[in-house]
Amino acid sequence: MAGCAMTTVTLALSQTGWAQTGGAAGGAAPGAAGNPGAIGQMFSGGTIRDIRVEGVQRIEPTTVRSYLAVSPGDPFEPDRIDQSLKNLFNTGLFADVVLKRDGDVLVVSVVENPIINRIAFEGNRRIEKDNLEKEIQLRPRVVYTRTRVQSDVQRILDIYRRQGRFAATVEPKIIQLDQNRVDLVFEINEGTRTGVRQISFVGNEKFSDGSLREAIQTKESAWWRFLTSDDNYDPDRLNFDRDLLRRFYLKEGYADFRVVSAVAELTPDREDFVITFTVDEGERYKFGKIDVNTTLKALDPEQVRGVMTTNEGDWYNAQEVENTINKLATAVGDLQYAFVDVRPRITRNRENQTIDITYEIVEGPRVFVERIDVTGNVRTLDKVVRREMLVSEGDPFSATKLRRSEQRIKDLGFFEKVNVTTAEGSAPDRSIVNVEVTEQSTGEIAIGAGYSTSDGPLADFSIRERNLLGRGQDLRFGATISGRRKEYDVSFTEPYFMDRDISAGIDLFRITRDYQDESSFDEKNTGFALRMGYPLTENLRQRLYYQLQNTDITSVPSTASQYIQDQKGARLTSLIGQELTYDRRNSRLDPTDGYYVKLSTDFAGVGGNARYVRGRLSGGYYLPLFNESWVLATSGEIGYIAGVGKDVSLSDRFFIGGDTLRGFNTAGIGPRDLRTGDALGGERYYRASVELNFPLGLPEEFGLKGHAFSDVGTLTETNIKNDPLVADSGSIRLSAGAGVSWKSPFGPIRLDIAVPILKESYDKKELFRFSFGTRF
């Protein structure tokens, strides 16, 4: 109508915030600008006749209308209009949204967010592009929003901070393209590694700063730590360090210990952090009264009391409490109690500083394993991990079996880290077992070297893959090449033959040994062996094998012992044997506790020329002293061989020395022809060793350990009678020595120096041995 202006009201929301405007043709609407009440009045009253969508390019108008809280025919209501505006913006599809009222028409004006055409990274030298792409959420052909970009920027920064680069910066930039598309570029300045300049402790009176620095994982920056990242600041590791400090003090008896604070401050030059731990040590406690109670029928506590490792009067040790709980649970489980829970009831006596503990053995909840999930194994097949588990889906839940399963997976040697955790299942009586692993290199190149006063240097080389194709199969090729020995062997082992707990393998070998210095002959062995093994119980395992070998004694000079010359020629040995092993060590790879016993017997005479029976019994015991860094290791072995209808040949006799009796050369003791100095070997021997492994007081990350050892043994008995020039005293030999080992980045390195104490004048001595190896 003439003289009447049409009112237009706009309500807008963009990525930068809200905007509310109102106006009239020819003038401003009084009270509209900045007045929510006026805006409400403008959007109230009347009925929506139509909804018009403006500004869309890729998105259909019907899609925009589907997000609105109003439809044609609905009244204009400010609340529903406001909700429609929020709905549209929350989709992430639009950079700007404006709602306007044009008479009885609701106008929806939008500005679409662009589509990402490509994502690029610039300046990332330390982290591969593929690793960054895995972390960010944005992808090509996804709608670009500033919120998502900022989120991905933070994710990239978190990656660099986990690597200790807190000075890293990330700047996102976009390149506008046609058709409302953009290229997204993350410009990265990686900066330098943010190290740890100093680690300080406040409140520690019982232990020095140095002792506490050894207890935590974070280390102070130093030039020799270039192969580790422990000296880079990591906030997640700092939280782990708090727990490590707590464990350290609890093992030492400080039950009231707590970490008051752990503060990391960036130095003014922004290159390093200074970390300060404030601790409250509290008082040191001893074990008070130790008791065992049970609510299980027919279970006498005295049946399991003997497995406890906590004793009254000892300093309190939280680790020993945990060990006792595990051993009680295992012992009760062995008595056929499936659902058992061992709960320590602790009474703290602050006056006399003792802690009384009562281990209560009660019937646990009936929980079953619902599912076992394996994660982190990129190369190794799931079944390789699952077959080491002592529980399966549907089995009764057992925390003890899970702990043993975790150790079995670690003993495979395929993984750098193994973590077995549990989560709630689909029902209260169901539990999910999560096995998280981090793979490591399983290929090995090993190089061994030794030196003796008589032989000089020698070297060994082997290449091995212990997890072939991720199936857990073991393939090895070995070679020893020196002036005195050439040895080639190939072996293959399938640990789970036909998917059963039966190991099967084959060995092919060709060995040429130069025994000219020891016994004035060369020996060539060519043959193969077939073997299989299977468990009788969890700790008892049986191995059976067959071996066919051709042995040729050659290069015997005329100056050699007559007893060596008589052995010249070839003979064929066809033997069957078995090996029975009982193993209770806490680890097969690096044992620190437990013991093992091994019995092997052979019979040669299933064809071939050789006829004999041979038996060997060996064992070892490992005892931790003071703490897990001090380990006393003892081992022993006896062996005997007897001919069946004929004498035992030279190549089948035992030779002792070198690695088997340090301080003496290979074949350095035992029967010897005094006329020529040739070792003749023996038919009966025994040897034993005791070794103390201990830290050298250097930082633990150096990987250096000291060793003090003593070896004892003898080798005697031949079929040579009534020859006074054949020495065979059968006397005991004794040696002592020390060594040092280094877990270097290139593999283990060890140097031993040994001196004979008890010896015979005709024995051959060895001053030191050196060996090293590496992995790839």
Side-chain angles (χ1 to χ4, degrees):
M1 286 186 290
C4 181
M6 182 176 65
T7 301
T8 302
V9 179
T10 303
L11 185 63
L13 178 64
S14 68
Q15 292 191 24
T16 58
W18 289 92
Q20 298 176 340
T21 61
N35 189 332
I39 296 299
Q41 294 177 6
M42 296 299 181
F43 271 106
S44 60
T47 301
I48 300 174
R49 178 177 60 82
D50 190 17
I51 298 176
R52 187 169 69 247
V53 179
E54 299 176 347
V56 291
Q57 298 180 24
R58 302 181 313 272
I59 302 172
E60 294 293 331
T62 54
T63 302
V64 177
R65 294 189 184 98
S66 68
Y67 293 111
L68 300 177
V70 294
S71 303
D74 293 342
F76 280 99
E77 293 183 4
D79 291 340
R80 295 175 69 181
I81 297 296
D82 178 69
Q83 186 60 48
S84 297
L85 191 65
K86 293 178 179 177
N87 290 350
L88 288 171
F89 192 73
N90 289 338
T91 64
L93 299 173
F94 309 106
D96 195 12
V97 179
V98 176
L99 297 185
K100 298 183 291 187
R101 179 174 179 176
D102 188 1
D104 55 0
V105 176
L106 178 63
V107 180
V108 182
S109 181
V110 298
V111 177
E112 295 180 358
N113 273 323
I115 293 293
I116 296 175
N117 177 64
R118 183 175 66 93
I119 298 177
F121 301 91
E122 294 181 357
N124 56 308
R125 293 174 304 196
R126 304 291 180 178
I127 301 179
E128 295 292 335
K129 171 188 173 183
D130 292 344
N131 294 331
L132 293 174
E133 288 178 342
K134 291 176 184 177
E135 290 292 331
I136 64 175
Q137 291 182 328
L138 287 172
R139 295 287 184 270
R141 296 180 299 279
V142 171
V143 175
Y144 168 92
T145 67
R146 278 183 286 177
T147 302
R148 291 179 179 177
V149 171
Q150 291 303 319
S151 177
D152 284 346
V153 166
Q154 189 59 47
R155 289 171 180 270
I156 295 172
L157 289 174
D158 289 342
I159 297 174
Y160 278 98
R161 287 172 180 172
R162 288 198 296 269
Q163 289 197 352
R165 296 182 180 274
F166 282 78
T169 59
V170 179
E171 184 177 355
K173 293 186 176 181
I174 61 172
I175 301 174
Q176 298 285 348
L177 304 175
D178 57 358
Q179 298 179 354
N180 200 22
R181 296 175 303 135
V182 295
D183 285 344
L184 175 61
V185 180
F186 292 99
E187 292 187 354
I188 301 172
N189 180 5
E190 295 180 323
T192 59
R193 287 185 180 271
T194 311
V196 178
R197 184 170 298 179
Q198 182 180 351
I199 302 176
S200 302
F201 297 87
V202 177
N204 55 310
E205 298 178 356
K206 306 300 182 182
F207 297 96
S208 66
D209 285 13
S211 298
L212 298 184
R213 290 190 191 104
E214 288 294 321
I216 63 177
Q217 185 175 353
T218 302
K219 305 299 179 184
E220 293 180 344
S221 297
W223 65 267
W224 63 79
R225 295 194 172 103
F226 63 94
L227 292 172
T228 179
S229 61
D230 288 344
D231 58 342
N232 297 327
Y233 174 69
D234 185 342
D236 294 333
R237 190 192 300 136
L238 193 63
N239 292 328
F240 181 57
D241 288 336
R242 296 171 65 109
D243 187 55
L244 289 177
L245 283 173
R246 177 177 172 275
R247 295 182 195 177
F248 174 81
Y249 272 92
L250 288 179
K251 285 180 64 176
E252 299 296 332
Y254 293 87
D256 296 331
F257 172 81
R258 65 190 182 96
V259 179
V260 179
S261 64
V263 179
E265 298 176 300
L266 196 60
T267 56
D269 57 13
R270 302 185 64 81
E271 292 184 356
D272 298 298
F273 275 90
V274 174
I275 300 175
T276 304
F277 292 93
T278 303
V279 301
D280 180 4
E281 294 179 322
E283 299 295 334
R284 194 179 189 188
Y285 289 78
K286 288 187 175 182
F287 283 114
K289 183 179 179 182
I290 308 293
D291 200 4
V292 181
N293 290 333
T294 180
T295 60
L296 300 176
K297 296 180 180 180
L299 176 62
D300 184 358
E302 297 300 324
Q303 292 179 272
V304 296
R305 188 181 295 272
V307 304
M308 295 192 303
T309 60
T310 50
N311 301 302
E312 184 175 348
D314 291 348
W315 289 111
Y316 175 76
N317 187 328
Q319 183 61 52
E320 289 303 321
V321 174
E322 183 67 23
N323 292 340
T324 297
I325 293 172
N326 295 337
K327 291 186 176 183
L328 285 172
T330 301
V332 175
D334 292 341
L335 295 174
Q336 307 304 313
Y337 291 89
F339 300 96
V340 174
D341 194 8
V342 180
R343 303 170 184 171
R345 189 174 72 243
I346 296 177
T347 303
R348 188 171 307 182
N349 305 310
R350 300 186 184 275
E351 295 182 359
N352 54 11
Q353 295 175 7
T354 61
I355 294 179
D356 300 334
I357 300 180
T358 300
Y359 297 98
E360 295 183 340
I361 304 174
V362 299
E363 185 175 2
R366 292 184 172 270
V367 179
F368 297 87
V369 177
E370 178 180 357
R371 192 174 72 248
I372 298 176
D373 294 333
V374 182
T375 59
N377 53 318
V378 178
R379 178 167 171 263
T380 306
L381 301 181
D382 273 12
K383 70 176 184 179
V384 174
V385 179
R386 290 179 179 274
R387 64 196 184 194
E388 299 300 325
M389 298 292 294
L390 297 177
V391 295
S392 303
E393 282 89 347
D395 287 353
F397 179 85
S398 171
T400 303
K401 287 186 176 181
L402 287 183
R403 280 189 290 268
R404 295 209 301 269
S405 298
E406 183 175 13
Q407 186 60 53
R408 283 165 60 96
I409 298 172
K410 290 178 179 178
D411 285 344
L412 289 174
F414 303 162
F415 308 107
E416 180 181 355
K417 295 179 182 179
V418 179
N419 189 24
V420 178
T421 58
T422 59
E424 294 182 359
S426 59
D429 63 344
R430 297 287 185 269
S431 180
I432 297 174
V433 177
N434 297 309
V435 183
E436 184 179 357
V437 299
T438 302
E439 292 184 324
Q440 65 180 5
S441 298
T442 54
E444 297 178 5
I445 294 178
I447 301 175
Y451 180 86
S452 70
T453 55
S454 60
D455 294 341
L458 60 87
D460 299 306
F461 170 81
S462 69
I463 182 170
R464 180 183 181 190
E465 173 53 62
R466 295 176 293 109
N467 187 17
L468 186 65
L469 302 177
R471 299 176 180 273
Q473 299 165 336
D474 192 332
L475 179 63
R476 178 186 180 275
F477 169 75
T480 300
I481 303 174
S482 69
R484 303 192 53 209
R485 178 166 41 164
K486 293 181 181 179
E487 181 174 337
Y488 306 95
D489 63 274
V490 178
S491 65
F492 175 77
T493 302
E494 168 55 70
Y496 273 75
F497 184 62
M498 298 180 66
D499 288 331
R500 297 180 179 273
D501 194 2
I502 300 175
S503 65
I506 183 171
D507 303 298
L508 306 173
F509 54 87
R510 179 177 177 82
I511 305 170
T512 301
R513 293 189 179 96
D514 179 353
Y515 290 128
Q516 295 294 334
D517 287 345
E518 294 93 347
S519 302
S520 299
F521 72 91
D522 290 344
E523 180 184 86
K524 295 180 180 179
N525 290 297
T526 305
F528 72 92
L530 302 174
R531 48 190 162 78
M532 65 175 294
Y534 52 89
L536 299 176
T537 66
E538 182 182 346
N539 304 112
L540 184 63
R541 192 170 184 89
Q542 176 84 59
R543 188 168 75 98
L544 305 175
Y545 50 88
Y546 169 78
Q547 180 174 304
L548 183 65
Q549 171 181 299
N550 182 74
T551 303
D552 192 9
I553 303 297
T554 64
S555 303
V556 180
S558 59
T559 56
S561 169
Q562 185 61 45
Y563 303 108
I564 302 294
Q565 296 187 42
D566 293 343
Q567 298 290 320
K568 186 176 180 180
R571 59 183 50 84
L572 184 66
T573 302
S574 176
L575 68 80
I576 58 173
Q578 69 82 36
E579 184 178 87
L580 192 64
T581 304
Y582 185 72
D583 195 342
R584 294 301 298 265
R585 292 174 293 180
N586 62 345
S587 172
R588 290 179 298 162
L589 300 179
D590 188 17
T592 58
D593 193 5
Y595 64 92
Y596 74 95
V597 179
K598 182 186 296 182
L599 172 66
S600 63
T601 55
D602 302 331
F603 172 70
V606 188
N609 310 121
R611 299 284 189 276
Y612 63 81
V613 292
R614 179 171 58 193
R616 281 170 290 195
L617 177 65
S618 62
Y621 183 77
Y622 301 85
L623 178 67
L625 303 175
F626 313 120
N627 55 53
E628 295 180 355
S629 299
W630 292 73
V631 178
L632 182 66
T634 60
S635 63
E637 184 178 9
I638 60 175
Y640 183 75
I641 185 172
V644 178
K646 58 170 60 179
D647 293 336
V648 178
S649 65
L650 177 69
S651 59
D652 296 323
R653 297 174 194 158
F654 299 116
F655 291 86
I656 299 297
D659 289 331
T660 54
L661 190 62
R662 288 164 289 190
F664 296 90
N665 190 19
T666 302
I669 72 168
R672 190 177 302 277
D673 191 329
L674 299 180
R675 289 164 295 215
T676 62
D678 292 329
L680 303 177
E683 298 177 8
R684 176 167 55 88
Y685 77 95
Y686 67 82
R687 66 179 184 88
S689 176
V690 58
E691 179 170 303
L692 178 64
N693 304 317
F694 54 89
L696 294 176
L698 298 172
E700 186 177 351
E701 70 268 23
F702 277 21
L704 287 169
K705 276 190 175 183
H707 312 275
F709 58 84
S710 179
D711 295 344
V712 62
T714 190
L715 173 68
T716 184
E717 197 171 313
T718 68
N719 51 28
I720 302 171
K721 308 296 182 184
N722 302 320
D723 189 340
L725 293 180
V726 173
D728 183 13
S729 66
S731 62
I732 295 176
R733 275 71 160 186
L734 175 67
S735 67
V740 61
S741 64
W742 177 33
K743 288 185 177 179
S744 77
F746 315 103
I749 297 176
R750 176 157 176 161
L751 172 66
D752 288 324
I753 299 176
V755 178
I757 299 175
L758 297 178
K759 62 182 185 300
E760 296 294 335
S761 60
Y762 53 84
D763 290 339
K764 293 190 175 183
K765 299 176 290 184
E766 181 179 75
L767 179 60
F768 64 87
R769 291 187 71 82
F770 171 75
S771 65
F772 69 96
T774 186
R775 286 185 173 184
F776 68 92

